[in-house]
Amino acid sequence: MSGRKKSVAQEPVTSVLAPSEVPIYERGENADDDALAALGYKPEFKREFSLWTSFCVSFAVLGLLPSFASTLYYVSTYTPSSMVFIQCVAMSMAELCSAMPTSGGLYYAAAVLAPPGWGPLASWITGWSNWLVQVTGAPSVDYGMASMILAAASIQKQAYVPQNYQVFLLTAFIMLIQSCISSMPTKWIANFNSYGSTFNIIALIVVIIIIPAATNREDQGLPRFTPSSVVWGVFYEGTDFPKGVSLLMSFVAVIWTMSGYDAPFHLCEECSNANIASPRAIVLTSGIGGLFGWLLQLVVAYTIIDIDEALESELGQPYAAYLLQVLPQKATLAILGLTIICAFSMGQGCMVSASRVTFAYSRDECFGPVSRITKQVNRRTRTPVNAVWFNTSIGIIMDLLIFGGPLAAGALFSIGAVAAFVAFTIPIAIRVFFVGDRFRPGPWNLGRASMPIGTLACAFVVLMVPILMLPSVTGNGLDRAKGAPERMSSRRKEPGLSSDGFKTGIGTLAADRREMLFSPFFSPYALLLLPLLFYFLPYLRNRSIQNVPGPLTARFSNLWLLYHSRRGRRYLAVHAAHQRHGTVVRIQPDHVSIADSEAIPVIYSHTGGWTKSNYYDAFISIRRGLFNTRDRAEHTRKRKTVSHTFSARSISKFEPFIEANLQELVRQWNRISDTATRAGEQYADMDCLHWFNYTAFDIIGDLAFGAPFGMLSKGKDIAEVRLTPGSSPTYAPAIQVLNRRGEVSNTLGCYPALRPFAKYLPDPFFRNGLKAVEDLAGIAVARVNLRLAAQEKDEPQRNDLLARLMEGKDEDGNRLGREELTAEALTQLIAGSDTTSNTSCALLYWCLRTPGVMERLRKEIDDVVPNDVDIPSFDSVKDLLYLHMVINETLRIHSTSSLGLPRVVPPGPGVTIANHHFPPLTVLSVPSYTIHHSTNIWGPDANEFNPDRWAEGTITDKQKAAFIPFSYGPRACVGRNVAEMELALIASTVVKAFDFELREKGELQTREGFLRKPLGCRVGMRRRKQSS
């Protein structure tokens, strides 16, 4: 394995991974597996498909003969020009396949190639459009095949009229057979599709030969073939639209027929030499299919007798009507038989392709809990059997629409063409117009022709998608079309044929299709009403606060706040909204932000029945804890149980644990400083944020869980994780996990109902964030598990925070149960690490940036702490005025908790604040960042770091009331005493022991989750030389 490639740069792929992030898998035995690993995926399948067998599956999915039969209604011209554009689409897709040979290639390509910030949306649209095409393919083909089988039976027995339940049962039976075939080993499937495609090609050739050879036109007094002057010289419009539109509408048949050539893309993980064979199979399918399709069109053109009669036949099946025009009945049945067999091969190919797409999406957790099942590869067959049967189940459910008639079924299946070309074209368009040199072409590529071919492909699709939406008639013809189903049901059957049977054949009735397009219930445009209602109804429900100004979209939707939270800039967006709209701003349909210090004691009152909003539901992990409990009685019980843990008497016993970890910090920094000195450097360069994170985590680990995490000693971010008390341990970067957890919870708090479905969203931010929630809970589970195990063994217990929590009792004398204890310990882990580390980093930054502050602070500390003391005691620094002024000013200007904590107006008459009346159930908040930076409160220097504003006699009562770094009222931070002690000890220790120079350029960059955290702070650090 040591000789294998390990870099994306060494593979001919365009990957989402960084060059050094390629995983190495034991099964990766060849170049195909190396390329797949460079894309970030583990090789799962046997590579038993070849160029030929991949082509066979693709050609089977293409289903040229049955597809042609279903779309003859649209064939009115015989120019091959449309095939040129289809081939452009196919070649552009093949180029992407060669560069990204993975089963989920289309949506993977959209995600990787999209401009920054657009990848999730592009991937989401592409992925679900493609999956919709795939999952509806087999049900629609099998539904048509079942209908044709029963229709053929009615030809033989005129009295027989197929019923809907018979069509459904036969469709389901066919799907079950195809599912069994698709669950076989890869080699068997490849062979089956090889035979099926061979039969498809033979059947096509036979049909192309039989029709002109067996035509009975001469028996009807007509020449054997239509004159070429008519075939090539007469333009049959076929619609009431202008000729140009009619020409474009004739392309619809080609689009509907040529929509299966993407199958090799989805099979490339099972194909050998995939980045060459799979793109070749795509191009071959499109090219050969286009050629045979054009030949079939020519056969029809030279033999058809009456186009209008075929299209408007009472049979409702132009293909069958055409065959009866030009062939004897037995020949018609023979060709129908060939078409039915080809349809079976087509449906089975659709099922194989769809199962690979479902597997690929499941591997990326797109189907939520179901993904754990559908991403499994059967150990015996090495195929995604579960994905096959998952699709089959969905398909059979879809086919229940048969009982609603052809219109109902067609409403579902007819969206396939548009969805397919949306999925095909989005990654191509991104590749052509947005990528530039970020695309690394694979071994099969178009070279210099790539851009013009891709441009033609995109232009064709942009032109044709609206055409796909058009009806085939206008004006009075539309009224006639709407009445077609009723007229057909009232007409007598033609002798020897079942009109009902053909009406439910492979193609939806032309009249039904036209009716569907203009039905208010089945039109795709009706879906636009859903988001309008979704956004408009909350606006109406909250009409009592319609006069409150704010961003326009925030009045109708939670998405405004959710968007800015997702970007980690919620506090800045709300602050900007206040600067633009004033003191009172509507930031959600039912949420108003009030930047007024007088609102603080009202909204966060001890009395009045105010409760936390559903924003806190997004933070639930394990179970509700003190932080996210919304019920007032339950919160009171929890606070009573926990509060004694943070009393002044209790926290004095925590100091030895804090001191021990600070000693480790000093030891590590001395080592780093000495190393830099030996290298001739005056200062050691480092990111102090990392070390403050390590310090805060080790301290809270020591206090809350009985031992530090060991981050300081290792100099790295690592922690043990157990998802359940009895599960095996794994390891995760705790700081990164905590950051992700805060960001995703803060974002989902804007729309908590989204949380159960968030992991299915295409944006990996949500999936990774929710995984972080689990990992963070796992850290607490692992630590509490160890502590309780020690207690059960009667080992000596430490007098730390967890011990105090274990001793806590509610008013009924009940202690915290294991789950509740773990939830509260997790709360302390979060609150006790992030706040301290972020504030410590910001404190050092502002002290170094602001002239005179560091010198003045160091002198105050030196005056009370002897030179031979590395770690000051809390008693020696707790009353240092300037130290506390610096800490307070840091908490104000940095505002670790920058957002407004939302509270719900209690039942009753409502409340009036800032000359606005707010009815019950309105959500109100006071934005901490805006309050802490208000020039009306703090003066014109509100955005400057000025510790002297906290001097006695300078600080005003209004400023004291507006200072809420730990919130306010009965739900304020219960651990404030511990946090203030930690900050004082950390600040006094590092300021006394080390010299610093600021190397961070410009403003301190931050990102907001629940807390506002710096992204880093580079400083030069050296061991301080102190005078004796």
Side-chain angles (χ1 to χ4, degrees):
M1 290 180 62
S2 61
R4 298 222 357 254
K5 299 175 182 178
K6 296 183 180 180
S7 172
V8 173
Q10 294 176 286
E11 298 292 341
V13 296
T14 302
S15 176
V16 71
L17 299 178
S20 61
E21 292 180 349
V22 179
I24 300 299
Y25 297 112
E26 292 181 359
R27 286 197 65 248
E29 300 170 351
N30 50 50
D32 289 314
D33 289 346
D34 285 342
L36 185 61
L39 295 172
Y41 293 119
K42 178 181 179 180
E44 298 272 8
F45 301 117
K46 291 183 178 179
R47 293 188 178 271
E48 295 181 328
F49 276 91
S50 63
L51 168 60
W52 168 247
T53 50
S54 294
F55 164 76
C56 288
V57 174
S58 185
F59 199 79
V61 174
L62 189 70
L64 193 59
L65 189 57
S67 295
F68 182 87
S70 69
T71 59
L72 186 63
Y73 179 84
Y74 292 105
V75 180
S76 56
T77 62
Y78 309 101
T79 170
S81 59
S82 58
M83 277 311 307
V84 174
F85 296 107
I86 296 291
Q87 194 68 6
C88 288
V89 176
M91 288 191 293
S92 295
M93 182 193 298
E95 188 175 44
L96 293 176
C97 178
S98 183
M100 285 162 272
T102 173
S103 297
L106 289 172
Y107 86 97
Y108 184 96
V112 173
L113 300 178
W118 291 94
L121 177 62
S123 178
W124 191 89
I125 296 174
T126 302
W128 289 114
S129 295
N130 191 35
W131 185 78
L132 185 62
V133 176
Q134 298 292 333
V135 82
T136 58
S140 59
V141 171
D142 294 341
Y143 157 58
M145 179 172 60
S147 301
M148 291 188 73
I149 292 172
L150 296 177
S154 69
I155 293 177
Q156 295 292 326
K157 188 176 181 180
Q158 298 182 19
Y160 172 66
V161 178
Q163 302 298 313
N164 284 338
Y165 79 91
Q166 295 169 330
V167 178
F168 171 76
L169 291 176
L170 183 55
T171 302
F173 179 69
I174 293 169
M175 290 190 67
L176 292 175
I177 295 176
Q178 293 171 340
S179 299
C180 292
I181 296 173
S182 300
S183 301
M184 294 177 178
T186 302
K187 190 172 184 179
W188 295 16
I189 297 173
N191 290 336
F192 183 89
N193 282 279
S194 177
Y195 300 144
S197 290
T198 302
F199 182 86
N200 257 287
I201 296 173
I202 294 173
L204 270 172
I205 296 173
V206 169
V207 169
I208 290 172
I209 294 174
I210 284 181
I211 292 178
T215 180
N216 59 8
R217 283 172 55 98
E218 292 177 325
D219 295 339
Q220 302 178 52
L222 300 171
R224 188 170 186 82
F225 301 111
T226 303
S228 294
S229 60
V230 176
V231 172
W232 297 102
V234 176
F235 180 81
Y236 177 82
E237 297 184 32
T239 76
D240 295 334
F241 288 99
K243 286 186 178 181
V245 178
S246 296
L247 175 64
L248 292 175
M249 292 189 72
S250 71
F251 294 176
V252 171
V254 182
I255 290 176
W256 277 62
T257 302
M258 301 296 295
S259 59
Y261 49 85
D262 62 317
F265 209 154
H266 308 307
L267 296 171
C268 59
E269 291 186 28
E270 299 170 76
C271 181
S272 59
N273 198 21
N275 53 10
I276 294 179
S278 294
R280 284 179 178 174
I282 293 173
V283 176
L284 279 174
T285 303
S286 176
I288 294 175
L291 176 62
F292 275 102
W294 185 51
L295 292 175
L296 201 53
Q297 284 185 333
L298 288 178
V299 168
V300 173
Y302 274 97
T303 57
I304 194 167
I305 295 173
D306 189 325
I307 297 177
D308 288 325
E309 181 183 334
L311 298 181
E312 299 177 5
S313 169
E314 296 178 3
L315 297 175
Q317 224 327 332
Y319 180 65
Y322 154 70
L323 291 176
L324 287 173
Q325 278 187 7
V326 301
L327 293 173
Q329 178 175 306
K330 289 185 178 179
T332 298
L333 288 173
I335 291 179
L336 284 176
L338 292 176
T339 305
I340 289 169
I341 296 173
C342 291
F344 183 87
S345 178
M346 178 183 180
Q348 200 276 323
C350 289
M351 188 164 288
V352 172
S353 180
S355 66
R356 273 50 178 180
V357 174
T358 297
F359 164 79
Y361 289 17
S362 300
R363 181 173 55 188
D364 289 334
E365 303 294 336
C366 294
F367 296 105
V370 179
S371 297
R372 294 162 58 182
I373 300 173
T374 51
K375 71 180 179 182
Q376 298 298 320
V377 175
N378 187 276
R379 295 181 179 179
R380 180 173 299 178
T381 66
R382 302 303 304 172
T383 54
V385 174
N386 293 350
V388 171
W389 290 97
F390 174 72
N391 287 348
T392 301
S393 302
I394 293 177
I396 291 175
I397 293 172
M398 288 179 178
D399 278 325
L400 289 172
L401 288 171
I402 291 171
F403 294 100
L407 181 61
L412 176 65
F413 300 137
S414 295
I415 63 176
V418 176
F421 272 82
V422 168
F424 293 174
T425 310
I426 286 178
I428 296 173
I430 295 172
R431 156 76 182 98
V432 171
F433 299 111
F434 298 101
V435 172
D437 60 2
R438 288 189 293 116
F439 179 74
R440 298 186 68 231
W444 193 101
N445 62 80
L446 300 172
R448 294 182 179 180
S450 176
M451 303 301 278
I453 289 175
T455 302
L456 286 175
C458 296
F460 176 69
V461 174
V462 169
L463 177 66
M464 288 307 302
V465 166
I467 298 297
L468 288 167
M469 300 295 186
L470 292 177
S472 298
V473 294
T474 60
N476 294 330
L478 179 60
D479 295 329
R480 294 194 300 273
K482 288 186 176 181
E486 289 76 11
R487 291 196 302 273
M488 289 200 62
S489 63
S490 64
R491 292 177 180 170
R492 293 184 297 109
K493 293 186 293 180
E494 195 73 19
L497 282 176
S498 167
S499 63
D500 281 345
F502 278 111
K503 183 177 72 174
T504 56
I506 268 186
T508 307
L509 268 176
D512 285 346
R513 190 178 289 125
R514 291 193 293 269
E515 180 179 357
M516 181 192 73
L517 287 170
F518 280 83
S519 166
F521 297 103
F522 292 101
S523 169
Y525 298 106
L527 297 177
L528 295 175
L529 293 175
L530 296 179
L532 290 177
L533 290 175
F534 179 80
Y535 294 129
F536 191 61
L537 290 178
Y539 179 74
L540 293 179
R541 184 187 67 198
N542 298 293
R543 59 185 180 274
S544 57
I545 56 174
Q546 287 182 17
N547 63 327
V548 177
L552 179 62
T553 52
R555 302 183 187 186
F556 294 91
S557 168
N558 293 323
L559 294 181
W560 180 84
L561 196 61
L562 187 145
Y563 167 74
H564 289 292
S565 297
R566 166 63 183 87
R567 295 180 63 234
R569 293 292 184 269
R570 168 176 171 160
Y571 74 98
L572 286 177
V574 173
H575 184 64
H578 278 290
Q579 289 182 318
R580 179 177 181 180
H581 298 288
T583 302
V584 181
V585 176
R586 191 176 185 182
I587 59 175
Q588 288 178 283
D590 62 345
H591 185 175
V592 176
S593 177
I594 305 176
D596 186 342
S597 60
E598 294 182 1
I600 295 173
V602 179
I603 295 174
Y604 304 103
S605 171
H606 287 262
T607 59
W610 293 74
T611 58
K612 293 182 176 181
S613 76
N614 61 357
Y615 166 83
Y616 290 85
D617 291 347
F619 292 83
I620 299 173
S621 179
I622 304 176
R623 62 174 294 172
R624 288 190 186 272
L626 180 65
F627 169 72
N628 49 45
T629 294
R630 295 172 60 197
D631 181 82
R632 287 176 60 86
E634 178 65 10
H635 183 271
T636 300
R637 184 190 73 81
K638 287 181 178 292
R639 192 174 181 95
K640 179 178 179 61
T641 306
V642 171
S643 59
H644 79 286
T645 303
F646 301 98
S647 66
R649 179 180 178 183
S650 294
I651 67 168
S652 64
K653 300 177 181 178
F654 300 162
E655 187 174 353
F657 305 114
I658 299 174
E659 179 183 350
N661 287 282
L662 289 178
Q663 285 175 344
E664 181 63 23
L665 172 67
V666 170
R667 188 182 71 81
Q668 292 289 346
W669 280 14
N670 283 339
R671 177 183 58 80
I672 294 172
S673 175
D674 293 344
T675 301
T677 300
R678 286 193 296 270
E681 300 290 336
Q682 189 174 6
Y683 287 91
D685 183 76
M686 69 177 188
D687 188 339
C688 66
L689 174 64
H690 294 328
W691 288 99
F692 285 129
N693 279 328
Y694 303 157
T695 302
F697 259 87
D698 274 1
I699 288 175
I700 196 62
D702 219 356
L703 292 178
F705 300 115
F709 289 102
M711 294 186 186
L712 280 170
S713 59
K714 298 184 183 73
K716 62 189 298 186
D717 174 17
I718 194 70
E720 179 185 325
V721 176
R722 290 179 187 263
L723 297 182
T724 62
S727 64
S728 300
T730 58
Y731 295 88
I735 298 167
Q736 181 186 101
V737 164
L738 181 61
N739 291 340
R740 286 180 173 175
R741 176 261 184 195
E743 290 176 17
V744 78
S745 298
N746 182 53
T747 302
L748 292 176
C750 303
Y751 189 28
L754 186 64
R755 188 184 184 192
F757 315 101
K759 66 190 303 183
Y760 314 141
L761 296 176
D763 187 349
F765 167 83
F766 293 100
R767 186 166 59 251
N768 295 337
L770 292 175
K771 177 65 167 57
V773 172
E774 294 180 358
D775 286 344
L776 196 62
I779 293 172
V781 169
R783 287 294 177 147
V784 172
N785 188 44
L786 291 174
R787 188 61 175 276
L788 292 179
Q791 185 185 44
E792 292 172 359
K793 296 177 182 178
D794 293 327
E795 294 180 3
Q797 295 297 300
R798 293 158 33 112
N799 198 357
D800 55 16
L801 191 152
L802 187 58
R804 302 296 292 164
L805 285 175
M806 293 164 65
E807 294 170 358
K809 299 179 182 179
D810 61 18
E811 57 188 8
D812 296 324
N814 298 318
R815 298 184 186 275
L816 298 175
R818 184 189 194 112
E819 189 177 75
E820 190 174 13
L821 176 66
T822 306
E824 296 304 337
L826 174 61
T827 299
Q828 305 314 317
L829 169 65
I830 297 167
S833 57
D834 230 10
T835 306
T836 304
S837 59
N838 295 338
T839 305
S840 297
C841 179
L843 185 147
L844 183 58
Y845 169 82
W846 285 106
C847 285
L848 294 175
R849 174 176 169 171
T850 309
V853 172
M854 179 62 78
E855 293 76 7
R856 186 174 169 186
L857 178 60
R858 176 169 288 157
K859 183 179 185 307
E860 183 183 53
I861 295 171
D862 285 345
D863 286 344
V864 297
V865 180
N867 289 339
D868 59 348
V869 174
D870 290 331
I871 313 299
S873 67
F874 184 55
D875 281 340
S876 65
V877 299
K878 67 180 181 180
D879 296 323
L880 295 182
L881 295 180
Y882 195 68
L883 172 63
H884 284 283
M885 289 162 62
V886 168
I887 291 175
N888 283 346
E889 183 65 355
T890 302
L891 291 170
R892 182 196 70 83
I893 197 167
H894 178 68
S895 299
T896 296
S897 178
S898 295
L899 56 81
L901 300 177
R903 299 290 187 265
V904 180
V905 177
V911 63
T912 299
I913 304 175
N915 298 321
H916 284 78
H917 181 75
F918 302 101
L921 303 183
T922 305
V923 179
L924 303 180
S925 63
V926 178
S928 299
Y929 180 87
T930 301
I931 286 292
H932 286 171
H933 290 75
S934 170
T935 54
N936 292 331
I937 298 173
W938 302 97
D941 65 343
N943 291 314
E944 298 177 11
F945 186 79
N946 179 17
D948 287 323
R949 75 174 79 249
W950 295 93
E952 196 64 37
T954 302
I955 188 76
T956 67
D957 290 340
K958 184 177 183 180
Q959 291 170 339
K960 291 179 180 178
F963 184 55
I964 50 173
F966 298 98
S967 191
Y968 178 94
R971 301 199 173 193
C973 177
V974 71
R976 177 172 183 167
N977 291 337
V978 177
E980 290 179 337
M981 180 171 71
E982 281 190 60
L983 289 173
L985 290 175
I986 292 173
S988 58
T989 296
V990 299
V991 168
K992 178 172 179 56
F994 301 97
D995 288 324
F996 301 93
E997 66 174 15
L998 184 63
R999 295 182 176 178
E1000 187 71 19
K1001 305 299 183 182
E1003 297 288 336
L1004 185 67
Q1005 298 300 308
T1006 63
R1007 182 176 175 86
E1008 184 186 36
F1010 175 72
L1011 300 176
R1012 179 184 171 215
K1013 56 185 177 294
L1015 298 181
C1017 181
R1018 300 216 69 83
V1019 298
M1021 179 274 299
R1022 69 183 178 189
R1023 187 200 296 250
R1024 186 181 172 205
K1025 298 177 181 179
Q1026 301 182 23
S1027 59
S1028 56

